[in-house]
Amino acid sequence: MLEELLDAAPPERAAAMQRLGADPPRLIAAAEAIRVLCSRSTDRGIDAARLLVEAAGEGSAEAAAACRALARAMAWAGRFDEAIEAAERAVSIADAAASPEESCRGRLVLMHPLTELGRLGDAVAVGRRARAVAEAAGRHELAARADINLGIALRRRDEPLEAVACFRRARPHLLEEPAILASLENSLGEALVELQRFDEAEDAFEAARRGFESVGATLQAAIADENLADLAFRHGRLHRAIELFEVARRRLAGEETAMHRARVLAEESDARAMLGLHQSAVDGYAAALPMLDEFGLVLEAARARMGMGSAMRALGRPSDAATALAAASQAFSDLGHVTARARCDLIRAALELDAGRADAAARLVTAATPRFADRPADLAAARLLLGEIAAFQGRDELATAELAAGLAIARELDLAPLLADLLHAVGRHQRRRGQTPGALTTLAEAAEQVERIRSTLQANRLRAAFLDHRASVHESRLATIIECLEDPGTADHASPGEAFAAAELMRHRMLLEEIPGQGVRDLEPRPEPAADDPERSPERSPERRRLERALAEDHRTLNELYSRVGDAMLHGRDETGELREAIRRHERSAADHAMRLESVGGGSLLQSEPVPLESFAASLPADTRAVVFACVEGRLARFVVDPAVGVRFDSAVASMPEVQSLVRRLAFQIDRGLRPAAMDGPRATRLLADARAAAAALHAAILGDLPDPGPSVRRLLFVPDGPLSSVPPGVLHDGLQWLAARYAIT
């Protein structure tokens, strides 16, 4: 009926509105149907509600219902001030008309925009009044709806236990109303997440999604997907989070869902930050915040600023981080959300510790910790930070106790990212105290948690970023293995094979993007398949094809921009700054499209494990020497495999500052020789001698102590790490000849 009313020509519409105004039950039914119309298009819902207000006239329960429908549509569109105005008008009309039902319903609708705007005290007061009106009228189902809205306001006011009680009190009265029950389940799940009762929350969100889908409420189903994604992120199931955020994005494709898309973007940025994609996260927050502020979503904006502050800290931007965190902290204080403020203070404390201000950090964490009595994951994070502060202050026993307390909580929760962080901290602390075998066991377990997360990530880019973010776990483990091997008293606790595996896991993150067919650089747009082509599968869905086209367009634009920068530099035009900014923008867009593409089925699920050292050695041909490098805590380690001799492990071939200096020197000498006409004339001999000397110096530092393998070894397998990755091994010089003249090099 509403669709027909909207689409009718003016004369027919006027007649239909007149008939509606003369039929109160039908008009009230139309007001209730606005909810379904808004789930498909809030713009059309608003237009229809305005027609109902006009048809209803003034002073009746039907007029109150029409104003209430308009308020609901405005709220769903994020136009909260207009929603409040319409809802207050609905309540006023209902009270004047002595209609307790409409008085209650109008107050329930009024609670939504009040809550979204952070006016939580007003929302709670309105909700309690609505519940009292419904109970007095004997309308228990309306009292249940009041409990739902009251629970939402209480949760956002940082009272999740009271919110859960409201939701559970309401549920028995709504079992025959699937749409309302689904809304209740979604809100219950959000409160349970606040209490970190994740399994119960997931059950509630799944029930909500099923309920919304059963009544065709696409928008609400997308919000349930968003909540499931946020829950998966908090629970450490990062691939599941990215996948669900992508589902929510697709459901929220229309312009009328901009408010919800801003929420998704902010929450997805939280997941990207946990994966180690800190710049991508900052870009996401920066895109979401103007929309969150525009719609008046104060709590969501504060959370986004807190996430941005954390990501900026990881990027080494302490001043920007402090600014974002201060704004978030003030917003949480204004809202009275003390738990969120305490979480923000943990990040601020970490920032203080980064700057060496341990006492200030300790004060922040100590003040925040009591707020986490019923938030075990937050409490574990606080214990981790207190342990790190105590270790920084040299209070080893206190550090041990705090880290142990945090680890016990993390084990009970079984959250892989939190477990990895705490195990890493405990392992490093054990190592500092000389407990090397214990540290080795702990760090091996930390590495297992990192791999546990990595193995769930479908997109290569996500795995690479996550491993890069957590590489310090593998590096700490490798350094501890080396310490065990170097100490005769602990040498039997480790082996070169374990060191090789740890080094390969460190290197694995960098290779993912470089293997042909695996990295985003190798992705080219493919032609559309024929109708009967097996490529028309879920992996080649319309969404995947749309993302492929967007990525291809990014690549085409980047190629053009790269060319324009070259032309501008060549002709001295002052436009390179603007072009480089455009390049950065399209590079970010390409990276985002590539990651989303892999998350919807475009990745190849590269999940290879490092080859054991024994298998690697056995696989080498008899004429091949392999040299495998690993950078670990300021030094260069090396594995040498000669088929005739066996495996040799050197834990400290050279210091990293020395290697970096020699690599820079060699690059400088090569660049000198590559300048136009540099090798013409008498200077060529000198330039060649300088380059040979630099190549020989680097060779002496990283390979010079190795015995000559003899003429039977004709091939060299060179596996670099760190700064050596930029050195073509063939240009190294052993004092007699270039390595490229002696070996076939891989």
Side-chain angles (χ1 to χ4, degrees):
M1 177 180 64
L2 290 172
E3 298 278 9
E4 294 172 359
L5 186 64
L6 285 170
D7 297 333
E12 289 81 3
R13 180 186 296 168
M17 288 170 61
Q18 190 172 9
R19 289 193 297 272
L20 266 179
D23 189 348
R26 191 159 172 258
L27 193 147
I28 290 178
E32 292 303 318
I34 292 291
R35 182 193 306 270
V36 177
L37 182 57
C38 281
S39 73
R40 296 195 294 270
S41 168
T42 52
D43 287 343
R44 286 176 68 79
I46 289 170
D47 291 342
R50 282 182 169 143
L51 293 177
L52 294 184
V53 170
E54 185 179 342
E58 294 286 346
S60 63
E62 307 87 71
C67 288
R68 170 170 56 85
L70 178 60
R72 175 183 290 122
M74 290 291 189
W76 280 11
R79 296 161 63 172
F80 296 128
D81 290 330
E82 295 170 89
I84 289 172
E85 182 181 351
E88 287 178 339
R89 184 181 172 199
V91 171
S92 177
I93 293 172
D95 287 345
S99 172
E101 177 174 342
E102 277 303 327
S103 177
C104 175
R105 290 181 184 276
R107 286 182 168 88
L108 297 186
V109 172
L110 174 59
M111 290 182 71
H112 178 192
L114 288 173
T115 300
E116 294 292 0
L117 290 175
R119 295 171 54 182
L120 301 177
D122 292 341
V124 169
V126 169
R128 286 178 173 150
R129 176 61 181 155
R131 191 174 191 283
V133 169
E135 289 287 358
R139 297 296 304 273
H140 300 299
E141 78 286 358
L142 276 181
R145 295 188 186 202
D147 269 328
I148 293 176
N149 288 17
L150 190 56
I152 292 169
L154 287 167
R155 177 189 68 80
R156 293 172 71 91
R157 203 168 71 164
D158 200 24
E159 299 177 47
L161 276 173
E162 292 80 357
V164 169
C166 287
F167 296 136
R168 289 187 167 153
R169 184 170 61 202
R171 181 189 274 137
H173 303 288
L174 300 169
L175 297 179
E176 302 303 317
E177 298 191 58
I180 305 300
L181 185 60
S183 179
L184 181 151
E185 294 288 1
N186 191 66
S187 298
L188 173 62
E190 290 175 332
L192 290 167
V193 167
E194 287 293 318
L195 293 169
Q196 296 175 354
R197 290 155 60 176
F198 296 132
D199 291 340
E200 295 174 75
E202 184 168 17
D203 290 342
F205 288 141
E206 290 286 6
R209 181 166 64 174
R210 289 194 299 271
F212 288 135
E213 288 176 341
S214 72
V215 296
T218 304
L219 175 60
Q220 288 84 351
I223 294 171
D225 283 326
E226 172 191 347
N227 285 330
L228 281 166
D230 186 51
L231 175 62
F233 154 67
R234 291 170 183 255
H235 207 255
R237 295 178 302 194
L238 302 182
H239 171 62
R240 176 68 172 155
I242 295 294
E243 189 177 67
L244 284 165
F245 280 130
E246 188 60 35
V247 172
R249 278 202 201 202
R250 291 200 297 272
R251 290 189 196 261
L252 298 171
E255 287 301 318
E256 68 274 10
T257 62
M259 176 180 70
H260 301 291
R261 285 189 287 112
R263 284 174 163 155
V264 169
L265 184 55
E267 291 175 358
E268 187 177 17
S269 296
D270 292 337
R272 292 187 180 196
M274 180 176 280
L275 284 163
L277 294 164
H278 299 298
Q279 186 56 60
S280 176
V282 167
D283 293 339
Y285 293 128
L289 274 167
M291 292 187 283
L292 295 174
D293 289 336
E294 178 186 349
F295 288 117
L297 301 178
V298 184
L299 181 59
E300 285 80 358
R303 286 174 172 163
R305 286 187 170 89
M306 179 170 68
M308 177 178 270
S310 180
M312 285 174 164
R313 173 187 170 241
L315 290 170
R317 296 164 56 184
S319 178
D320 292 337
T323 300
L325 292 169
S329 181
Q330 185 60 54
F332 289 136
S333 295
D334 292 344
L335 289 167
H337 204 307
V338 292
T339 303
R341 164 72 186 268
R343 291 186 184 120
C344 190
D345 283 344
L346 290 188
I347 306 171
R348 294 172 66 203
L351 202 58
E352 294 286 353
L353 186 59
D354 292 342
R357 297 186 288 266
D359 291 343
R363 285 193 295 272
L364 283 166
V365 183
T366 301
T369 300
R371 295 303 313 169
F372 303 141
D374 55 356
R375 312 289 208 281
D378 292 319
L379 183 58
R383 295 296 184 200
L384 167 60
L385 194 47
L386 285 170
E388 291 182 332
I389 292 168
F392 181 88
Q393 294 171 325
R395 304 164 68 184
D396 286 347
E397 296 303 324
L398 177 60
T400 300
E402 294 287 5
L403 292 173
L407 183 56
I409 298 169
R411 287 194 189 282
E412 185 173 348
L413 293 173
D414 194 31
L415 301 180
L418 186 60
L419 261 175
D421 287 342
L422 273 154
L423 287 164
H424 189 202
V426 170
R428 286 185 287 116
H429 184 58
Q430 290 172 323
R431 186 178 163 209
R432 281 192 300 267
R433 303 191 72 188
Q435 301 166 354
T436 313
L440 189 56
T441 301
T442 304
L443 291 169
E445 189 179 353
E448 287 175 7
Q449 295 300 323
V450 171
E451 289 303 296
R452 169 184 165 191
I453 302 168
R454 178 192 69 84
S455 66
T456 70
L457 297 175
Q458 178 176 355
N460 294 332
R461 175 174 164 78
L462 299 187
R463 287 199 302 280
F466 179 77
L467 285 171
D468 189 50
H469 180 43
R470 303 282 178 159
S472 57
V473 174
H474 292 304
E475 185 173 9
S476 294
R477 182 185 173 210
L478 176 55
T480 308
I481 292 170
I482 290 173
E483 283 186 12
C484 280
L485 292 172
E486 291 176 337
D487 183 350
T490 59
D492 58 344
H493 289 276
S495 69
E498 289 177 85
F500 186 82
E504 284 300 286
L505 282 172
M506 288 172 58
R507 190 186 340 277
H508 194 63
R509 71 188 190 277
M510 294 185 298
L511 294 179
L512 285 170
E513 290 269 297
E514 304 303 329
I515 297 174
Q518 300 296 339
V520 298
R521 282 184 293 267
D522 296 298
L523 182 63
E524 295 296 337
R526 297 191 289 180
E528 289 294 312
D532 59 349
D533 195 305
E535 285 257 292
R536 283 196 179 274
S537 64
E539 289 75 18
R540 291 286 291 162
S541 64
E543 176 65 11
R544 170 165 166 72
R545 292 195 290 274
R546 186 189 70 77
L547 288 170
E548 281 184 343
R549 288 193 295 270
L551 180 58
E553 183 59 33
D554 284 327
H555 286 171
R556 280 192 291 270
T557 303
L558 282 169
N559 287 335
E560 178 187 347
L561 289 168
Y562 291 144
S563 177
R564 287 174 59 192
V565 166
D567 289 343
M569 292 176 66
L570 183 63
H571 296 99
R573 291 198 299 270
D574 186 21
E575 57 180 292
T576 56
E578 179 182 337
L579 290 172
R580 285 186 171 123
E581 176 55 36
I583 285 171
R584 283 191 290 271
R585 186 169 63 252
H586 282 282
E587 284 175 341
R588 289 194 295 267
S589 175
D592 178 71
H593 284 132
M595 184 175 68
R596 292 178 61 193
L597 181 60
E598 292 192 280
S599 294
V600 299
S604 54
L605 268 174
L606 177 67
Q607 296 288 6
S608 59
E609 296 299 322
V611 176
L613 179 56
E614 295 78 7
S615 301
F616 174 64
S619 71
L620 290 179
D623 66 347
T624 303
R625 164 183 273 182
V627 185
V628 181
F629 294 98
C631 301
V632 53
E633 294 190 345
R635 57 181 168 176
L636 186 69
R638 181 184 65 195
F639 302 84
V640 182
V641 182
D642 281 316
V645 178
V647 176
R648 167 177 170 170
F649 174 58
D650 301 301
S651 61
V653 176
S655 72
M656 290 311 302
E658 177 190 6
V659 172
Q660 288 166 340
S661 176
L662 291 169
V663 168
R664 284 196 297 269
R665 179 182 165 194
L666 176 59
F668 173 73
Q669 296 298 343
I670 292 174
D671 286 344
R672 286 178 69 203
L674 290 176
R675 288 202 300 268
M679 299 302 289
D680 298 338
R683 295 188 61 217
T685 302
R686 176 60 183 274
L687 290 174
L688 184 58
D690 290 345
R692 184 187 297 112
L698 181 57
H699 180 278
I702 66 173
L703 297 171
D705 61 329
L706 294 179
D708 190 315
S712 62
V713 173
R714 302 168 57 85
R715 300 178 183 276
L716 176 65
L717 175 58
F718 189 91
V719 185
D721 196 18
L724 293 180
S725 299
S726 65
V727 177
V731 308
L732 297 179
H733 199 282
D734 64 7
L736 297 174
Q737 57 188 326
W738 306 100
L739 291 195
R742 179 170 183 179
Y743 300 109
I745 298 176
T746 301

